[in-house]
Amino acid sequence: MTGIWGIVNVTPDSFSDGGRYLDVDRAVAHGLRLRADGATVLDVGGESTRPGAERVAPEVEQQRVLPVVEQLAAAGVPVSIDTLSAATAVAAVRAGARIVNDVSGGLADPDMRAAVAESGADYVIGHWRGFSSDMYANAEYRRIAREVAGELQERMGEAAASGIAPSRLIVDPGIGFAKAGTQNWNVLRGLDEIVALGPRVLLGTSRKRFLAETLRRGDGDEVSEERRDLATAVTSALAARAGAWAVRVHDVASTRDALAVAQAWNG
C-alpha cells in the first residue's frame, strides 16, 4: 500500500498551518498524532516554501527543527527533514532523520548532494525552478510532464555523480513549485512518466492552491481545510493507482481511508 508522509511544519508562515506547531512540544505531539493516524514517515520542516516565502537562516531553521526531529526519532518514528540547506540536512540526520527531502533537488545549495551522499540518508529530489519568491516566473512549459521528468532525470544523474546510490533516491514532481493552475493537473495526468524514471515517487498535493481553485464555487468563495483535505485524499488515491510510492499530506486520517478504499477497489 502507498505510504503516507505526515507534514510537521515547525514554522510561523507555512501557507496552511503556519504557527500552529512552532512550539517544540506541540510539534512533537502533532507528529505523534499523525503517526497514530497512520503516517509511515513524518516530514519535519522549519522553512516555509509557500509562494513568496522569505528564506530562513540555517541557524534559525535548526533551532526550530532539531529538537522535534530528535524527539520523534527517539520515539521510534521514521523522520524526514524538509530542507534546502545542506547544513540543516546534516544536523537533522545526526539528530535521527533517515531521509532528506530537498524540494530543489540539489539546486538551492551546491553542498547538498555531497552532504547527503556522506550522510547515508535517502534523498528526495524535487522538481524545482527557483526559490519561492519568484518561482512562477519560470512556469513555462510545452509538454510539462515530459519536461518535469527530463529535469528530474538530470538531477538523478547529478546525485549519482555525487555518490548517492539509485536505491537511495526518491523523486517528487514538485506540484505547485513553478507550476500554476492546470499545469499541476497536467503533471498529475502524466504521472506515469515520472514513475517510469525508476526511483520511488513521492507526491505532495496537500491543501495546495490548485485544489482550492478547482473546488471554488464562486468569486471570493473560501475553500475550507476540510474540503482541501477531501480533495487531497482523492488525489492521493489516484496517485497510488498511478504508481506513487508515497503521498505527503497534512491530514493523514482522510488519506489513509481513501487509500484503503482504493486498495479494496483494486482487489
Side-chain angles (χ1 to χ4, degrees), residues 131-207:
F131 291 102
S132 297
S133 57
D134 62 354
M135 62 180 170
Y136 291 129
N138 298 311
E140 294 187 9
Y141 306 88
R142 294 192 179 189
R143 300 186 64 178
I144 187 167
R146 180 164 295 182
E147 290 176 59
V148 168
E151 290 171 34
L152 285 172
Q153 195 163 34
E154 291 179 20
R155 304 289 86 76
M156 288 164 55
E158 293 161 356
S162 299
I164 304 173
S167 61
R168 292 168 55 193
L169 295 180
I170 303 162
V171 294
D172 181 343
I175 297 299
F177 290 93
K179 302 168 191 70
T182 57
Q183 291 177 330
N184 295 292
W185 290 114
N186 288 332
V187 173
L188 294 176
R189 293 185 191 104
L191 197 59
D192 58 328
E193 297 200 45
I194 312 300
V195 172
L197 292 173
R200 295 162 288 174
V201 175
L202 173 68
L203 186 74
T205 63
S206 190
R207 297 180 181 171

Coordinates of all heavy atoms in Angstrom, one line a residue, residues 131-207:
F131 N 13.5 29.8 -6.3 CA 13.0 30.0 -4.9 C 11.6 30.5 -4.9 O 11.1 31.0 -5.9 CB 14.0 31.0 -4.2 CG 15.3 30.4 -3.9 CD1 16.4 30.7 -4.6 CD2 15.5 29.5 -2.8 CE1 17.7 30.2 -4.4 CE2 16.7 29.0 -2.5 CZ 17.8 29.3 -3.3
S132 N 10.9 30.3 -3.8 CA 9.5 30.6 -3.7 C 9.2 32.1 -4.0 O 8.1 32.4 -4.5 CB 9.1 30.3 -2.3 OG 9.2 29.0 -2.0
S133 N 10.1 33.0 -3.8 CA 9.9 34.4 -4.1 C 9.5 34.7 -5.5 O 8.8 35.6 -5.8 CB 11.1 35.2 -3.6 OG 12.2 34.8 -4.3
D134 N 10.1 33.9 -6.5 CA 9.8 34.2 -7.9 C 9.7 33.0 -8.8 O 9.9 33.0 -10.0 CB 10.9 35.1 -8.4 CG 12.3 34.5 -8.4 OD1 12.4 33.4 -7.8 OD2 13.3 35.0 -8.9
M135 N 9.3 31.9 -8.2 CA 9.3 30.6 -8.9 C 8.3 30.6 -10.1 O 8.5 30.0 -11.1 CB 9.0 29.4 -8.0 CG 7.6 29.4 -7.3 SD 7.5 28.0 -6.3 CE 6.0 28.3 -5.4
Y136 N 7.2 31.4 -10.0 CA 6.2 31.4 -11.1 C 6.7 32.1 -12.4 O 6.1 31.9 -13.4 CB 4.9 32.0 -10.7 CG 4.2 31.1 -9.6 CD1 3.7 31.7 -8.5 CD2 4.0 29.8 -9.9 CE1 3.1 30.9 -7.5 CE2 3.3 29.0 -9.0 CZ 2.9 29.5 -7.8 OH 2.2 28.7 -6.9
A137 N 7.8 32.8 -12.2 CA 8.4 33.5 -13.4 C 9.0 32.4 -14.4 O 9.1 32.7 -15.6 CB 9.5 34.4 -13.0
N138 N 9.2 31.2 -13.9 CA 9.7 30.1 -14.7 C 8.7 29.0 -15.0 O 9.1 27.9 -15.4 CB 10.9 29.5 -14.0 CG 12.1 30.5 -13.7 OD1 12.5 31.2 -14.6 ND2 12.6 30.5 -12.5
A139 N 7.4 29.4 -14.9 CA 6.4 28.4 -15.1 C 5.9 28.3 -16.5 O 4.8 28.5 -16.8 CB 5.2 28.7 -14.1
E140 N 6.9 28.1 -17.4 CA 6.6 28.0 -18.8 C 7.0 26.6 -19.3 O 8.1 26.2 -19.2 CB 7.3 29.1 -19.6 CG 6.8 30.5 -19.3 CD 7.4 31.5 -20.2 OE1 8.0 31.1 -21.2 OE2 7.2 32.7 -19.9
Y141 N 6.1 25.9 -19.9 CA 6.3 24.5 -20.4 C 5.6 24.3 -21.7 O 4.5 25.0 -22.0 CB 5.8 23.5 -19.4 CG 6.3 23.7 -18.0 CD1 5.7 24.5 -17.1 CD2 7.4 23.0 -17.6 CE1 6.1 24.6 -15.8 CE2 7.9 23.1 -16.3 CZ 7.2 23.9 -15.4 OH 7.7 24.1 -14.1
R142 N 6.1 23.4 -22.5 CA 5.3 22.9 -23.7 C 4.7 21.6 -23.4 O 3.5 21.4 -23.7 CB 6.3 22.8 -24.9 CG 6.8 24.2 -25.3 CD 7.6 24.1 -26.7 NE 8.0 25.4 -27.1 CZ 8.6 25.7 -28.3 NH1 8.7 24.7 -29.2 NH2 9.0 26.9 -28.6
R143 N 5.4 20.6 -23.0 CA 4.9 19.3 -22.6 C 5.4 19.1 -21.2 O 6.4 18.5 -20.9 CB 5.4 18.2 -23.5 CG 4.9 18.5 -25.0 CD 5.3 17.3 -25.9 NE 4.6 16.1 -25.5 CZ 4.7 14.9 -26.2 NH1 5.5 14.8 -27.2 NH2 4.0 13.9 -25.8
I144 N 4.5 19.5 -20.2 CA 5.0 19.7 -18.9 C 5.5 18.4 -18.2 O 6.5 18.3 -17.6 CB 4.0 20.4 -18.0 CG1 4.6 20.8 -16.6 CG2 2.7 19.7 -17.9 CD1 3.8 21.8 -15.8
A145 N 4.7 17.3 -18.3 CA 5.0 16.1 -17.7 C 6.4 15.5 -18.2 O 7.2 15.1 -17.4 CB 4.0 15.0 -17.8
R146 N 6.6 15.6 -19.5 CA 7.8 15.2 -20.1 C 9.0 16.0 -19.7 O 10.1 15.6 -19.4 CB 7.7 15.2 -21.6 CG 8.9 14.7 -22.4 CD 8.7 14.4 -23.8 NE 7.7 13.2 -23.9 CZ 7.4 12.7 -25.1 NH1 7.8 13.2 -26.2 NH2 6.5 11.7 -25.1
E147 N 8.8 17.4 -19.6 CA 9.8 18.3 -19.2 C 10.2 18.0 -17.7 O 11.4 18.1 -17.3 CB 9.4 19.7 -19.4 CG 9.4 20.1 -20.9 CD 8.9 21.5 -21.1 OE1 9.5 22.4 -20.6 OE2 7.8 21.7 -21.8
V148 N 9.2 17.9 -16.9 CA 9.5 17.6 -15.4 C 10.2 16.3 -15.3 O 11.2 16.3 -14.5 CB 8.1 17.6 -14.6 CG1 8.4 17.0 -13.2 CG2 7.5 19.0 -14.6
A149 N 9.8 15.3 -16.0 CA 10.6 14.0 -16.0 C 12.0 14.2 -16.4 O 12.9 13.6 -15.8 CB 9.8 12.9 -16.8
G150 N 12.2 14.9 -17.5 CA 13.5 15.1 -18.0 C 14.4 15.9 -17.0 O 15.6 15.5 -16.9
E151 N 13.9 16.9 -16.4 CA 14.7 17.7 -15.4 C 15.0 16.8 -14.2 O 16.1 16.9 -13.6 CB 14.0 19.0 -15.1 CG 14.0 19.9 -16.3 CD 13.1 21.2 -16.1 OE1 13.0 21.6 -14.9 OE2 12.5 21.6 -17.1
L152 N 14.0 16.0 -13.7 CA 14.3 15.1 -12.6 C 15.4 14.1 -13.0 O 16.2 13.8 -12.1 CB 13.0 14.4 -12.2 CG 12.0 15.2 -11.4 CD1 10.7 14.4 -11.3 CD2 12.5 15.6 -10.1
Q153 N 15.4 13.6 -14.2 CA 16.4 12.7 -14.6 C 17.8 13.4 -14.6 O 18.8 12.7 -14.2 CB 16.1 12.2 -16.0 CG 16.9 11.0 -16.4 CD 16.3 10.3 -17.6 OE1 15.7 10.9 -18.5 NE2 16.4 8.9 -17.6
E154 N 17.9 14.6 -14.9 CA 19.1 15.4 -14.8 C 19.6 15.4 -13.4 O 20.8 15.2 -13.0 CB 19.0 16.8 -15.4 CG 18.8 16.9 -16.9 CD 18.6 18.3 -17.3 OE1 19.0 19.2 -16.6 OE2 18.1 18.5 -18.4
R155 N 18.7 15.7 -12.5 CA 19.0 15.8 -11.0 C 19.4 14.4 -10.5 O 20.3 14.3 -9.7 CB 17.8 16.3 -10.2 CG 17.2 17.6 -10.6 CD 18.0 18.8 -10.3 NE 19.0 19.1 -11.3 CZ 18.7 19.7 -12.5 NH1 17.5 20.0 -12.8 NH2 19.7 19.9 -13.4
M156 N 18.8 13.4 -11.0 CA 19.2 12.0 -10.6 C 20.6 11.7 -11.1 O 21.4 11.1 -10.3 CB 18.3 11.0 -11.3 CG 16.9 10.9 -10.7 SD 15.7 10.1 -11.8 CE 16.5 8.5 -12.0
G157 N 21.0 12.2 -12.3 CA 22.4 12.0 -12.7 C 23.4 12.7 -11.9 O 24.4 12.2 -11.6
E158 N 23.0 13.9 -11.5 CA 23.9 14.7 -10.6 C 24.0 14.1 -9.2 O 25.1 14.1 -8.6 CB 23.3 16.1 -10.5 CG 23.4 16.9 -11.8 CD 22.4 18.1 -11.8 OE1 21.7 18.3 -10.8 OE2 22.5 18.9 -12.8
A159 N 22.9 13.5 -8.7 CA 23.0 12.8 -7.4 C 23.9 11.6 -7.5 O 24.7 11.3 -6.6 CB 21.6 12.4 -7.0
A160 N 23.8 10.8 -8.6 CA 24.6 9.6 -8.8 C 26.1 10.0 -8.9 O 27.0 9.4 -8.3 CB 24.2 8.9 -10.1
A161 N 26.4 11.1 -9.6 CA 27.8 11.6 -9.7 C 28.3 12.0 -8.4 O 29.6 12.0 -8.2 CB 27.8 12.7 -10.7
S162 N 27.5 12.4 -7.5 CA 27.9 12.8 -6.1 C 28.1 11.6 -5.2 O 28.4 11.8 -4.0 CB 26.9 13.8 -5.5 OG 26.9 15.0 -6.3
G163 N 27.7 10.4 -5.6 CA 27.9 9.2 -4.8 C 26.7 8.7 -4.1 O 26.7 7.9 -3.2
I164 N 25.5 9.2 -4.5 CA 24.2 8.7 -3.9 C 23.7 7.6 -4.8 O 23.4 7.8 -6.0 CB 23.2 9.9 -3.9 CG1 23.8 11.1 -3.1 CG2 21.9 9.4 -3.2 CD1 22.9 12.3 -3.1
A165 N 23.6 6.4 -4.2 CA 23.2 5.2 -5.0 C 21.7 5.4 -5.4 O 20.9 6.0 -4.7 CB 23.3 4.0 -4.1
P166 N 21.4 4.8 -6.6 CA 20.0 4.9 -7.1 C 19.0 4.4 -6.1 O 17.8 4.9 -6.0 CB 20.0 4.1 -8.3 CG 21.4 4.2 -8.8 CD 22.3 4.2 -7.6
S167 N 19.3 3.4 -5.3 CA 18.4 2.8 -4.3 C 18.0 3.8 -3.2 O 17.1 3.6 -2.5 CB 19.0 1.5 -3.7 OG 20.2 1.9 -3.0
R168 N 18.8 4.9 -3.1 CA 18.5 5.9 -2.0 C 17.7 7.0 -2.5 O 17.3 7.9 -1.8 CB 19.9 6.4 -1.5 CG 20.7 5.4 -0.7 CD 22.1 5.9 -0.4 NE 22.1 7.2 0.3 CZ 23.2 7.9 0.4 NH1 24.3 7.5 -0.1 NH2 23.1 9.1 1.1
L169 N 17.4 7.0 -3.8 CA 16.7 8.1 -4.4 C 15.2 8.0 -4.4 O 14.6 6.9 -4.6 CB 17.1 8.4 -5.9 CG 18.6 8.8 -6.1 CD1 18.9 8.9 -7.6 CD2 18.9 10.0 -5.3
I170 N 14.5 9.1 -4.2 CA 13.1 9.3 -4.3 C 12.9 10.5 -5.1 O 13.6 11.5 -5.0 CB 12.4 9.5 -2.9 CG1 12.8 8.3 -2.0 CG2 10.9 9.7 -3.0 CD1 12.5 8.6 -0.5
V171 N 11.9 10.5 -6.1 CA 11.7 11.7 -6.9 C 10.3 12.3 -6.6 O 9.3 11.5 -6.3 CB 11.8 11.5 -8.4 CG1 13.3 11.1 -8.7 CG2 10.9 10.4 -8.9
D172 N 10.2 13.6 -6.7 CA 8.9 14.3 -6.4 C 8.7 15.3 -7.5 O 9.6 16.2 -7.8 CB 9.0 15.0 -5.1 CG 7.8 15.8 -4.7 OD1 6.9 16.1 -5.5 OD2 7.7 16.2 -3.5
P173 N 7.6 15.2 -8.3 CA 7.4 16.1 -9.4 C 7.1 17.6 -9.0 O 7.0 18.4 -9.9 CB 6.2 15.5 -10.1 CG 5.4 14.8 -9.1 CD 6.5 14.2 -8.2
G174 N 7.1 17.9 -7.7 CA 7.0 19.3 -7.3 C 5.7 20.0 -7.6 O 5.8 21.1 -8.2
I175 N 4.6 19.4 -7.3 CA 3.3 20.0 -7.5 C 3.3 21.4 -6.8 O 3.6 21.5 -5.6 CB 2.2 19.1 -7.0 CG1 2.1 17.8 -7.8 CG2 0.8 19.9 -7.2 CD1 1.9 17.9 -9.3
G176 N 2.9 22.4 -7.6 CA 2.9 23.8 -7.0 C 4.1 24.6 -7.1 O 4.1 25.8 -7.0
F177 N 5.3 23.9 -7.4 CA 6.6 24.6 -7.5 C 6.8 24.9 -8.9 O 7.0 24.1 -9.8 CB 7.7 23.7 -6.9 CG 7.6 23.5 -5.5 CD1 7.0 22.4 -4.9 CD2 8.2 24.5 -4.6 CE1 6.9 22.3 -3.5 CE2 8.2 24.3 -3.2 CZ 7.5 23.2 -2.7
A178 N 6.8 26.2 -9.2 CA 6.9 26.7 -10.6 C 5.9 26.1 -11.5 O 6.2 25.8 -12.7 CB 8.3 26.5 -11.1
K179 N 4.7 25.9 -11.0 CA 3.6 25.3 -11.7 C 2.3 25.9 -11.2 O 2.1 26.0 -10.0 CB 3.5 23.8 -11.5 CG 4.7 23.0 -11.9 CD 4.7 21.6 -11.5 CE 6.1 20.9 -11.6 NZ 7.1 21.5 -10.7
A180 N 1.5 26.4 -12.2 CA 0.3 27.2 -11.8 C -0.9 26.5 -12.4 O -0.9 25.9 -13.4 CB 0.3 28.6 -12.3
G181 N -2.0 26.5 -11.6 CA -3.3 26.0 -12.1 C -3.3 24.7 -12.8 O -2.9 23.7 -12.2
T182 N -3.7 24.7 -14.0 CA -3.9 23.5 -14.8 C -2.6 22.8 -15.1 O -2.6 21.6 -15.4 CB -4.6 23.7 -16.1 OG1 -3.9 24.7 -16.9 CG2 -6.0 24.3 -15.9
Q183 N -1.5 23.5 -15.0 CA -0.2 22.8 -15.1 C 0.0 21.7 -14.1 O 0.6 20.6 -14.5 CB 1.0 23.8 -15.0 CG 1.0 24.9 -16.1 CD 2.1 25.9 -15.9 OE1 2.5 26.2 -14.8 NE2 2.7 26.4 -17.0
N184 N -0.5 21.9 -12.9 CA -0.4 20.8 -11.9 C -1.2 19.6 -12.3 O -0.8 18.5 -12.2 CB -0.9 21.4 -10.6 CG 0.1 22.4 -10.0 OD1 1.2 22.2 -9.7 ND2 -0.4 23.7 -10.0
W185 N -2.4 19.9 -12.8 CA -3.3 18.7 -13.3 C -2.6 18.0 -14.4 O -2.7 16.8 -14.5 CB -4.6 19.2 -13.7 CG -5.5 19.7 -12.5 CD1 -5.9 21.0 -12.3 CD2 -6.0 18.9 -11.5 NE1 -6.6 21.0 -11.1 CE2 -6.7 19.7 -10.6 CE3 -5.9 17.5 -11.2 CZ2 -7.3 19.3 -9.4 CZ3 -6.5 17.1 -10.0 CH2 -7.2 17.9 -9.2
N186 N -1.9 18.7 -15.3 CA -1.2 18.1 -16.4 C -0.1 17.2 -15.9 O 0.2 16.1 -16.5 CB -0.8 19.1 -17.4 CG -1.9 19.7 -18.2 OD1 -3.0 19.1 -18.4 ND2 -1.7 21.0 -18.7
V187 N 0.6 17.6 -14.9 CA 1.7 16.8 -14.3 C 1.0 15.5 -13.7 O 1.5 14.4 -13.9 CB 2.5 17.5 -13.2 CG1 3.4 16.6 -12.5 CG2 3.2 18.7 -13.9
L188 N -0.1 15.7 -13.0 CA -0.7 14.5 -12.4 C -1.2 13.5 -13.5 O -1.1 12.3 -13.3 CB -1.9 15.0 -11.5 CG -1.5 15.8 -10.3 CD1 -2.7 16.2 -9.5 CD2 -0.6 14.9 -9.4
R189 N -1.8 14.1 -14.6 CA -2.2 13.2 -15.7 C -1.0 12.4 -16.3 O -1.2 11.3 -16.8 CB -2.9 14.0 -16.7 CG -4.3 14.6 -16.3 CD -5.0 15.3 -17.4 NE -6.1 16.1 -16.9 CZ -6.1 17.4 -16.8 NH1 -5.0 18.1 -17.2 NH2 -7.1 18.0 -16.3
G190 N 0.1 13.0 -16.2 CA 1.3 12.4 -16.8 C 2.2 11.7 -15.8 O 3.4 11.6 -16.0
L191 N 1.6 11.4 -14.6 CA 2.5 10.9 -13.5 C 3.2 9.6 -13.9 O 4.3 9.3 -13.4 CB 1.6 10.6 -12.3 CG 2.3 10.4 -11.0 CD1 3.1 11.6 -10.6 CD2 1.3 10.1 -9.9
D192 N 2.7 8.9 -14.9 CA 3.3 7.6 -15.4 C 4.7 7.9 -15.9 O 5.6 7.1 -15.8 CB 2.5 6.9 -16.4 CG 2.2 7.8 -17.6 OD1 2.0 9.0 -17.5 OD2 2.0 7.2 -18.7
E193 N 4.9 9.1 -16.5 CA 6.2 9.5 -17.0 C 7.2 9.7 -15.8 O 8.4 9.4 -16.0 CB 6.2 10.8 -17.8 CG 5.3 10.6 -19.1 CD 5.6 11.6 -20.1 OE1 6.8 11.9 -20.4 OE2 4.7 12.2 -20.7
I194 N 6.8 10.1 -14.7 CA 7.6 10.3 -13.5 C 7.9 8.9 -12.9 O 9.1 8.6 -12.6 CB 7.0 11.2 -12.4 CG1 6.4 12.5 -13.1 CG2 7.9 11.4 -11.3 CD1 7.4 13.3 -13.7
V195 N 6.9 8.1 -12.8 CA 7.1 6.7 -12.3 C 8.1 5.9 -13.2 O 8.9 5.1 -12.7 CB 5.7 6.0 -12.2 CG1 5.9 4.5 -11.9 CG2 4.8 6.7 -11.2
A196 N 8.0 6.1 -14.5 CA 8.9 5.4 -15.4 C 10.3 5.7 -15.2 O 11.2 5.0 -15.7 CB 8.4 5.7 -16.8
L197 N 10.7 6.8 -14.5 CA 12.1 7.1 -14.3 C 12.8 6.0 -13.4 O 14.0 5.9 -13.5 CB 12.2 8.4 -13.5 CG 11.8 9.7 -14.3 CD1 11.8 10.9 -13.4 CD2 12.7 9.9 -15.5
G198 N 12.0 5.3 -12.6 CA 12.6 4.2 -11.8 C 12.6 4.4 -10.3 O 12.2 3.4 -9.6
P199 N 13.1 5.5 -9.8 CA 13.0 5.6 -8.3 C 11.6 5.7 -7.7 O 10.6 5.9 -8.5 CB 13.8 7.0 -8.1 CG 14.5 7.2 -9.3 CD 13.7 6.7 -10.4
R200 N 11.5 5.5 -6.4 CA 10.3 5.7 -5.8 C 9.8 7.1 -6.0 O 10.5 8.1 -6.1 CB 10.5 5.5 -4.3 CG 10.9 4.1 -3.9 CD 11.5 4.0 -2.5 NE 12.8 4.6 -2.4 CZ 13.5 4.8 -1.3 NH1 13.0 4.5 -0.1 NH2 14.7 5.3 -1.4
V201 N 8.4 7.3 -6.1 CA 7.8 8.6 -6.4 C 7.0 9.0 -5.1 O 6.2 8.3 -4.6 CB 6.9 8.5 -7.6 CG1 6.2 9.8 -7.8 CG2 7.7 8.2 -8.8
L202 N 7.4 10.2 -4.7 CA 6.6 10.9 -3.6 C 5.8 12.0 -4.2 O 6.4 12.8 -5.0 CB 7.6 11.5 -2.6 CG 7.1 12.4 -1.5 CD1 6.2 11.5 -0.5 CD2 8.2 13.1 -0.7
L203 N 4.6 12.2 -3.8 CA 3.7 13.2 -4.4 C 3.1 14.0 -3.3 O 2.6 13.5 -2.3 CB 2.6 12.6 -5.2 CG 1.7 13.6 -6.0 CD1 2.5 14.1 -7.2 CD2 0.4 12.9 -6.4
G204 N 3.2 15.4 -3.4 CA 2.6 16.3 -2.4 C 1.6 17.2 -3.1 O 2.0 18.2 -3.7
T205 N 0.3 17.0 -2.9 CA -0.7 17.9 -3.4 C -1.4 18.6 -2.2 O -2.3 19.4 -2.4 CB -1.8 17.1 -4.2 OG1 -2.4 16.2 -3.3 CG2 -1.2 16.4 -5.4
S206 N -1.1 18.3 -1.0 CA -1.9 18.6 0.2 C -2.3 20.0 0.3 O -1.4 20.9 0.5 CB -1.2 18.1 1.4 OG -2.1 18.1 2.5
R207 N -3.6 20.3 0.3 CA -4.2 21.6 0.5 C -3.7 22.7 -0.4 O -3.8 23.9 -0.1 CB -4.0 22.1 2.0 CG -4.6 21.2 3.0 CD -4.4 21.6 4.4 NE -5.0 20.7 5.4 CZ -4.8 20.8 6.7 NH1 -4.0 21.7 7.2 NH2 -5.4 20.0 7.6

